[in-house]
Amino acid sequence: MHQFTPPPHAITHGSGPAWAVGDLLVHRVDETELPPPTGAWLLPDATSDVVDDAPWLRPDFATSDGALQLASHSFAIEADGLRVLVDTGIGNGKTRANPAWDHLDTPYLRRLTAAGFAPESVDLVILTHLHTDHVGWNTFERDGSWIPTFPHARYLVARAEWDYWAGVEMDEPRRQMFRDSVHPVRDAGLLDLVDVPAAGGEVAPGIRLRPTPGHTPGQVAVELHSGAHSAVITGDCVHHPVQLHRPAITSCVDIDPAQAIHSRRELLASLADTETLLLGSHFPPPTAGLVTAEGGTYRLRPVPGASS
């Protein structure tokens, strides 16, 4: 394993951007940009006036007319000889209620393999929560059946997340997602439910789950630590950098909006003015940055990745 120095530097590796966090190497594996109307639907209070109030959001995170830019991707981590994947996107060829996600066709697996993470080589898949755009590549279609994409991996889900969905009445689109992207993993014996204490818990060397409930009851952020270096993958605790400027902006699909705000404020306060790299699960490029306090709120100072 190569040695790297702080702060986390973007480096060229494989087919996409990567960041070094001490001895850990974090790759962004792109699936797709999300359509322009997504931001207004997902974060309806993030109006163009709000964007105007945070000029640093342009041009990377918002368009000239104030539309939010979002993306779907995974983070693939080399950690102490393990290959770890955080979230698996939307997936290909799946029936989805969202027209932009329905029967998607992207070269995601080729990109993942080019980054050095052939599906058979992945050891661990961490699912920050069980929403459609975070579990899709759990499986792929073969001969009319959905089978696990990562046959040698353990798939981790917080027990609180699993128990919530097991106890509620789901609509048909969500039941379909569980049938094609979650239950096949469970039925193959690859799913592990983990209890995540309030203080967080380690699931692999240098990788910890941090509870950030609200968007869903079992939503977690993923903390990375190596020596004096650290990073946090947001999951959907933070959908977009506009929520650094206005942490009280909630998502239309947050299950407990008040709890989501509380989790987001706690996370951002813990990161502000530190050298911990923030990696956004839906942030468009440059995707990563350092959180700084600014005028009673926060901003993101980008740490761009570099592509080969």
Side-chain angles (χ1 to χ4, degrees):
M1 184 77 70
H2 292 88
Q3 297 293 322
F4 300 91
T5 56
H9 292 291
I11 65 173
T12 300
H13 190 285
S15 64
W19 294 263
V21 182
D23 285 344
L24 306 181
L25 190 59
V26 185
H27 307 260
R28 192 190 74 218
V29 181
D30 293 328
E31 183 179 33
T32 187
E33 295 178 359
L34 298 181
T38 301
W41 164 76
L42 183 67
L43 302 170
D45 291 335
T47 63
S48 59
D49 288 343
V50 172
V51 173
D52 288 343
D53 195 44
W56 59 268
L57 288 169
R58 294 189 177 98
D60 294 323
F61 305 120
T63 64
S64 59
D65 62 358
L68 305 183
Q69 300 181 120
L70 296 117
S72 175
H73 47 251
S74 298
F75 292 107
I77 306 162
E78 297 176 34
D80 197 29
L82 295 177
R83 280 176 161 71
V84 181
L85 193 62
V86 178
D87 288 331
T88 66
I90 299 162
N92 275 3
K94 296 188 170 180
T95 301
R96 296 293 181 251
N98 185 332
W101 300 353
D102 187 49
H103 290 88
L104 202 63
D105 183 13
T106 74
Y108 172 87
L109 285 186
R110 290 201 298 274
R111 293 168 180 161
L112 186 66
T113 299
F117 288 72
E120 297 80 8
S121 74
V122 173
D123 300 295
L124 185 66
V125 177
I126 298 171
L127 303 174
T128 61
H129 61 295
L130 297 178
H131 272 174
T132 305
D133 54 330
H134 292 257
V135 303
W137 277 107
N138 284 359
T139 62
F140 72 103
E141 190 272 336
R142 177 183 287 167
D143 299 328
S145 297
W146 295 104
I147 64 174
T149 306
F150 310 103
H152 305 303
R154 306 303 303 176
Y155 290 67
L156 300 191
V157 178
R159 189 179 302 276
E161 182 76 0
W162 182 268
D163 289 349
Y164 172 78
W165 293 112
V168 299
E169 183 65 30
M170 293 187 282
D171 59 17
E172 175 54 27
R174 197 171 302 279
R175 289 197 296 269
Q176 172 65 35
M177 178 269 286
F178 270 78
R179 286 195 298 267
D180 62 39
S181 298
V182 179
H183 291 160
V185 173
R186 177 200 61 186
D187 295 345
L190 301 179
L191 184 69
D192 290 339
L193 304 182
V194 294
D195 294 304
V196 184
E202 187 173 78
V203 295
I207 301 178
R208 291 174 54 84
L209 304 186
R210 172 177 180 160
T212 52
H215 180 63
T216 64
Q219 148 78 34
V220 296
V222 181
E223 297 181 334
L224 310 177
H225 299 276
S226 177
H229 316 299
S230 57
V232 175
I233 296 170
T234 62
D236 281 358
C237 179
V238 186
H239 281 93
H240 188 275
V242 72
Q243 292 173 293
L244 277 69
H245 179 62
R246 296 277 182 89
I249 288 177
T250 57
S251 160
C252 68
V253 289
D254 285 345
I255 290 173
D256 186 339
Q259 180 64 61
I261 293 170
H262 177 76
S263 292
R264 187 161 43 254
R265 289 190 186 279
E266 279 199 335
L267 179 66
L268 295 175
S270 72
L271 300 179
D273 300 323
T274 72
E275 291 299 313
T276 298
L277 188 69
L278 183 68
L279 294 154
S281 293
H282 286 300
F283 293 10
T287 307
L290 302 177
V291 178
T292 61
E294 182 177 80
T297 183
Y298 306 99
R299 70 174 291 172
L300 189 71
R301 298 193 180 278
V303 177
S307 299
S308 58

